[in-house]
Amino acid sequence: MKIPVMFYVALTTFMLVMLTVMAAMNIAFSWVFYTMCLGQVLVVIMTFKVLKEKYFTDKTFENFYEDKPVNYRK
């Protein structure tokens, strides 16, 4: 069973938000430290998984941004 890449993104985001909350609530330093270490490992794993994902698109640099085309005038 293949785990979707967005799972790693969500897990890492949740872990680092939890780290921020723990630091703000003055949780014991050891818990914050180990959560930070685990968060850093998750960032590396997430980055590896995202970069190795087999994702292809037909967009090119001529498409620029979809919400603001190159010839956009106000």
Side-chain angles (χ1 to χ4, degrees), residues 29-74:
F29 176 76
S30 61
W31 285 94
V32 175
F33 177 76
Y34 292 125
T35 305
M36 179 195 66
C37 292
L38 181 62
Q40 290 177 352
V41 169
L42 285 174
V43 167
V44 171
I45 292 170
M46 176 195 67
T47 304
F48 178 77
K49 294 288 186 177
V50 167
L51 291 176
K52 295 300 280 184
E53 176 72 11
K54 302 261 191 255
Y55 176 79
F56 299 102
T57 182
D58 58 353
K59 303 288 183 188
T60 63
F61 285 109
E62 282 101 30
N63 298 110
F64 201 56
Y65 296 106
E66 292 180 348
D67 61 338
K68 186 175 180 184
V70 176
N71 58 357
Y72 178 77
R73 302 276 185 223
K74 282 190 174 185

Side-chain angles (χ1 to χ4, degrees), residues 11-26:
L11 179 66
T12 304
T13 302
F14 173 75
M15 180 62 80
L16 295 178
V17 168
M18 189 173 73
L19 171 67
T20 304
V21 170
M22 288 171 64
M25 294 180 64
N26 291 327

